[in-house]
Amino acid sequence: MALTRRFTLGMIAAPLALGLAACSSADADEAAIDAEPIAEIPAPEGTEWTDVVEVSEYDGYVIGNPDAPIKVIEYASLTCPACAAFSMDGAAQLKAEYVSTGRVSYELRNQIHGPHDLMLAQLVRCGADESFHPLSDQVWADLNGVLGPVFQNQDAFGQALQLPEAERFVAAAEVAGFYDFFAARGVSEDQARTCLADFQAMETIANNSNTQGQEFGVTGTPTFFVNGVKQDGVLNWAGLEPILQRAGAR
């Protein structure tokens, strides 16, 4: 717990612009993933694979066939413009054209780039598991609007983060205008306040970001893994789709 408390307090002192500048820019280094074409795997009768959501042991949210032969993991920050670009340009195609076939599952794991990012990561968890991906996509779709009040009110935001643990994120979200944003998307203000008062849950998110980042070498976002192989330099759908096809999703 002490590790995360230091991490959380450290984020308070860090420049808020970090959340906008922490995106990966490594050169592409495609992994050799080659497989024969994989046949579509039907979903259970009356269901669609894109409606199936499970929380993994890494606190990632997996959409699709849990036993899909091709597993895509994205480490993403909810404050990262490159992640927002992938959400807008690739995530819908990934789900509609690949996850829906049962060949591919898609897991989204949070990487935290500041206190505002940590708050958003907790808020997208406030509803049902099935709302995690849609809420994340909606944050990315209006990223400038979501983050604007944070940067416009940095002093008040920073002061809120000096409050006791159970109060700091509750107060900071009011400064940031997060309650109105999420209330318009089905997460009531009371529900959001309760989530943000749960300091232990937010410590867990922060700890996962730290430990998994170190364990798996995640140094920027978005970072993609396909069947456990890190796809260095792949930042967008144009880079990811050919890898899925080589892995058998064709």
Side-chain angles (χ1 to χ4, degrees), residues 40-72:
E40 290 193 21
I41 302 168
E45 187 174 354
T47 66
E48 300 287 343
W49 284 126
T50 49
D51 295 328
V52 176
V53 179
E54 294 185 356
V55 181
S56 77
E57 62 181 311
Y58 291 93
D59 195 34
Y61 285 69
V62 184
I63 183 170
N65 178 5
D67 300 316
I70 303 170
K71 301 184 185 299
V72 175

Side-chain angles (χ1 to χ4, degrees), residues 11 19 22 24 60 77 89 97 108 131 148 187 202-203 210 218 233:
M11 289 193 301
S24 172
S77 160
D89 300 336
E97 299 177 17
L108 187 57
S131 67
V187 179
M202 299 183 71
E203 282 189 316
N210 278 342
V218 178

Side-chain angles (χ1 to χ4, degrees), residues 34-189:
D34 294 292
E36 294 298 318
I38 299 170
E40 290 193 21
I41 302 168
E45 187 174 354
T47 66
E48 300 287 343
W49 284 126
T50 49
D51 295 328
V52 176
V53 179
E54 294 185 356
V55 181
S56 77
E57 62 181 311
Y58 291 93
D59 195 34
Y61 285 69
V62 184
I63 183 170
N65 178 5
D67 300 316
I70 303 170
K71 301 184 185 299
V72 175
I73 297 170
E74 178 189 2
Y75 279 94
S77 160
L78 287 168
T79 62
C80 171
C83 302
F86 178 77
S87 172
M88 297 301 99
D89 300 336
Q93 286 180 270
L94 172 58
K95 296 168 189 174
E97 299 177 17
Y98 292 89
V99 172
S100 66
T101 68
R103 299 180 179 113
V104 178
S105 65
Y106 171 40
E107 180 176 355
L108 187 57
R109 300 179 185 175
N110 290 110
Q111 277 285 290
I112 304 304
H113 291 168
H116 49 326
D117 200 344
L118 179 59
M119 293 159 61
L120 291 169
Q122 174 73 336
L123 288 168
V124 297
R125 287 169 165 78
C126 275
D129 292 346
E130 292 76 15
S131 67
F132 177 89
H133 279 264
L135 284 174
S136 298
D137 288 334
Q138 289 178 57
V139 169
W140 280 317
D142 190 21
L143 189 59
N144 289 336
V146 170
L147 297 183
V150 177
F151 293 98
Q152 293 161 13
N153 301 287
Q154 290 193 47
D155 289 344
F157 189 79
Q159 290 171 9
L161 292 173
Q162 304 301 321
L163 293 172
E165 291 174 357
E167 301 174 29
R168 65 181 60 162
F169 297 117
V170 175
E174 190 161 359
V175 174
F178 289 167
Y179 294 127
D180 289 342
F181 179 87
F182 281 92
R185 291 157 178 82
V187 179
S188 71
E189 181 172 339

